[in-house]
Amino acid sequence: VESERPDRLFHDGYARKVAGERGFALLERYAGAATAAFVTIRTAYLDRAIIHAVAERGIRQVVFVAAGMDTRPLRLPWPDGVTVYELDRAELIRAKTSLLPDDRYPPACDRRRVPVDLTGSWATPLREAGFTALAPTLWVVEGLLFFLDEQAVRQLLIGIRELSGVDGLLVGDLVSQSTLDNPLADRFLKTLAKDGAPWRFGTDQPEDLLAQCGWKVANLLEPGQDGANFGRWPYLVLPRETPHVPRSFLFTADAS
Ligand SMILES: C[S@@+](CC[C@H](N)C(=O)[O-])C[C@H]1O[C@@H](n2cnc3c(N)ncnc32)[C@H](O)[C@@H]1O
């Protein structure tokens, strides 16, 4: 939908195909939590962060941790020499591959699909797919961490840090604990749980969580703040010290 606006923030020519009718039905099913505005802003923020990391920092190894239906391997302007790893469940990878087969939709980079369980031992299959540990790497954890429990989140962020060189970079998003406790989000959260995809983890101290897992926040924004507004966010952003506010955090963090 964003791609079809004259003032679009990005163009994803594959989104309608991978979303299908089911995607639009789900958007309606989960309406009421500014889902569409948030996803638009998150995509725009992360697109810019990813493009910057490869163009300006010279990173050539990119891992989409829980790639889902992300079409960035096809649609971003990758410089020569970039290898992109897509981690996700085998079932998801199969479904995406059949929607976007390589011969008809060739990626604009060296793209490698790696079926894994991110709560299990994912590092070995990633290495076997050609990943070079300790080489400068950009990790993208978008739309994932709230689906895991706290122990799995910490294990994953620490595991990623262990494979990163000192030039490692992590971008992604988190929600606040208050998002999970907010009575106004009750219907949204119950619907997710009923659909087998409950949200399990949030934190009101994302900087501390990331620091404890070896990542130093370079940039952290809530949708609506300068740098994460793009004229799309319909709500006020309350100061961080205001307690009990449902929040989403978009972050860029360096290996520390
Ligand atoms: C909401 S989607 C986000 C996809 C993509 N990053 C994006 O933002 O468009 C969450 C993804 O996490 C994957 N996922 C959740 N838990 C996982 C696990 N334990 N192992 C592997 N993938 C997992 C799901 O299969 C799904 O593709």
Side-chain angles (χ1 to χ4, degrees):
V1 171
E2 178 69 24
S3 303
E4 289 154 14
R5 287 175 63 136
D7 61 347
R8 60 183 160 259
L9 298 171
F10 50 83
H11 182 258
D12 185 343
Y14 311 94
R16 272 192 185 276
K17 184 166 179 57
V18 293
E21 279 178 25
R22 173 102 176 114
F24 284 91
L26 287 175
L27 193 57
E28 237 167 74
R29 187 165 167 76
Y30 301 132
T35 312
F38 173 64
V39 171
T40 297
I41 288 171
R42 184 175 68 183
T43 303
Y45 174 91
L46 291 176
D47 276 5
R48 285 155 180 72
I50 295 165
I51 290 169
H52 183 264
V54 293
E56 306 297 328
R57 290 179 57 143
I59 292 179
R60 290 291 174 270
Q61 193 165 244
V62 179
V63 184
F64 288 99
V65 184
M69 292 290 175
D70 192 340
T71 62
R72 290 192 181 98
L74 301 175
R75 69 177 179 82
L76 288 192
W78 299 105
D80 285 348
V82 171
T83 303
V84 166
Y85 297 88
E86 292 192 297
L87 306 183
D88 210 297
R89 295 192 171 109
E91 191 185 354
L92 185 290
I93 288 184
R94 271 197 301 277
K96 187 176 181 182
T97 307
S98 76
L99 285 167
L100 298 173
D102 286 351
D103 50 350
R104 289 181 47 210
Y105 301 94
C109 54
D110 177 357
R111 189 261 311 275
R112 306 189 187 178
R113 303 179 177 98
V114 190
V116 291
D117 176 0
L118 291 165
T119 61
S121 53
W122 50 270
T124 303
L126 178 59
R127 282 174 195 262
E128 285 170 0
F131 176 87
T132 308
L134 306 185
T137 303
L138 169 66
W139 303 84
V140 182
V141 285
E142 180 185 22
L144 171 68
L145 299 176
F146 33 77
F147 289 118
L148 307 179
D149 64 30
E150 177 164 0
Q151 196 195 346
V153 168
R154 287 179 181 274
Q155 253 173 21
L156 182 67
L157 295 177
I158 290 168
I160 288 173
R161 175 63 189 90
E162 283 169 0
L163 288 181
S164 299
V166 284
D167 296 321
L169 190 64
L170 175 70
V171 296
D173 64 317
L174 283 159
V175 295
S176 64
Q177 175 59 44
S178 310
T179 302
L180 305 185
D181 301 337
N182 175 16
L184 294 176
D186 204 45
R187 231 186 85 212
F188 170 73
L189 295 170
K190 281 196 172 126
T191 307
L192 280 165
K194 215 161 105 192
D195 292 350
W199 281 14
R200 295 189 164 98
F201 177 71
T203 175
D204 293 340
Q205 282 88 37
E207 294 91 345
D208 294 348
L209 170 84
L210 288 160
Q212 287 155 13
C213 297
W215 296 98
K216 187 176 168 12
V217 165
N219 176 266
L220 184 134
L221 294 172
E222 293 181 48
Q225 289 187 305
D226 282 351
N229 186 319
F230 306 107
R232 295 289 192 277
W233 190 245
Y235 305 118
L236 282 175
V237 184
L238 295 175
R240 273 293 283 286
E241 55 276 16
T242 311
H244 311 307
V245 177
R247 302 175 190 277
S248 297
F249 304 109
L250 301 167
F251 62 81
T252 302
D254 293 294
S256 63

